[in-house]
Amino acid sequence: GENVEQHPSTLSVQEGDSAVIKCTYSDSASNYFPWYKQELGKGPQLIIDIRSNVGEKKDQRIAVTLNKTAKHFSLHITETQPEDSAVYFCAASVADGLTFGKGTHLIIQP
Amino acid sequence: GAGVSQSPSNKVTEKGKDVELRCDPISGHTALYWYRQSLGQGLEFLIYFQGNSAPDKSGLPSDRFSAERTGGSVSTLTIQRTQQEDSAVYLCASSFSPGRPGEQYFGPGTRLTVT
């Protein structure tokens, strides 16, 4: 089955700086890669996703890149703000269920 | 419109008791998923429904866990003879695009504590 590795487990950045979270996956058949943001006490919220027919997707301050050859994908957040503080999860999917990474706790330092 | 809802939001139960967790998916979403999230961990896939049938039950951790879905809408996850290691947040998600990877939208979860 699919295995998703996510790094780092904790990331602390100064407000206004950029943050990058990286994930690798094992199943070359995976073709859908969403990113979720989870705030304390809430369910995960889909923030951006990418399918295997594109290499990069951007939505305002958030971007995701995908390298299918290397089987890794990354989340980039620019101009970080205090409200970006949360746990971020990457995931990969072939057909139905999602396989998640273990999450990255992003801390935005004032 | 309304998102995925789950009830109860919190459940405390004694070891050995049975519990039922409920999920109301987004209207029109035919696919429904259950995940478990232990403290500080990622999300562990439990079971997936397409309509009322469950083509993938591979993630259920033991035969104490079961789930059903009726009318292609509401789903219940039942845990029999609960154990302390069952303590976790149980998350439900729904999707409009079954069989093809599609956006899954999560509910707020049920926090289960087994004492």
Side-chain angles (χ1 to χ4, degrees), chain B residues 19-106:
Chain B
V19 295
E20 273 193 3
L21 313 179
R22 175 187 169 107
C23 172
D24 270 287
I26 293 172
S27 178
H29 281 194
T30 58
L32 185 148
Y33 309 79
W34 283 99
Y35 295 88
R36 178 169 71 174
Q37 185 173 33
S38 301
L39 188 62
Q41 298 296 309
L43 285 79
E44 174 191 6
F45 170 76
L46 297 179
I47 189 170
Y48 150 68
F49 286 92
Q50 168 49 37
N52 292 336
S53 65
D56 189 354
K57 300 181 181 180
S58 62
L60 294 177
S62 77
D63 58 8
R64 296 186 295 106
F65 287 72
S66 63
E68 65 175 15
R69 190 179 185 196
T70 55
S73 182
V74 171
S75 176
T76 55
L77 177 69
T78 302
I79 309 173
Q80 296 178 308
R81 306 181 301 282
T82 51
Q83 304 294 313
Q84 287 186 331
E85 60 263 27
D86 300 333
S87 296
V89 175
Y90 289 82
L91 291 158
C92 173
S94 70
S95 171
F96 182 70
S97 304
R100 166 184 174 272
E103 298 86 352
Q104 292 187 21
Y105 296 91
F106 282 81

Side-chain angles (χ1 to χ4, degrees), chain A:
Chain A
E2 176 66 277
N3 181 51
V4 176
E5 300 282 341
Q6 182 172 349
H7 300 280
S9 56
T10 303
L11 177 60
S12 181
V13 301
Q14 291 289 327
E15 181 178 348
D17 287 351
S18 295
V20 180
I21 302 170
K22 299 181 179 181
C23 289
T24 60
Y25 61 98
S26 61
D27 189 343
S28 57
S30 288
N31 56 9
Y32 175 64
F33 307 92
W35 286 88
Y36 286 84
K37 175 183 180 182
Q38 188 174 28
E39 297 174 323
L40 198 61
K42 297 183 179 180
Q45 178 188 9
L46 178 67
I47 56 171
I48 195 168
D49 58 13
I50 191 167
R51 297 185 187 272
S52 59
N53 57 341
V54 298
E56 183 173 358
K57 184 176 179 181
K58 189 173 182 180
D59 182 4
Q60 299 183 337
R61 296 186 298 107
I62 295 174
V64 58
T65 58
L66 171 64
N67 183 329
K68 285 223 72 180
T69 303
K71 290 190 282 190
H72 65 69
F73 55 114
S74 301
L75 177 71
H76 304 251
I77 305 174
T78 58
E79 301 171 15
T80 52
Q81 300 170 5
E83 55 264 36
D84 295 330
S85 292
V87 179
Y88 291 80
F89 292 96
C90 64
S93 174
V94 175
D96 300 319
L98 292 171
T99 302
F100 285 85
K102 291 194 181 300
T104 296
H105 186 192
L106 178 61
I107 301 166
I108 308 301
Q109 302 277 8

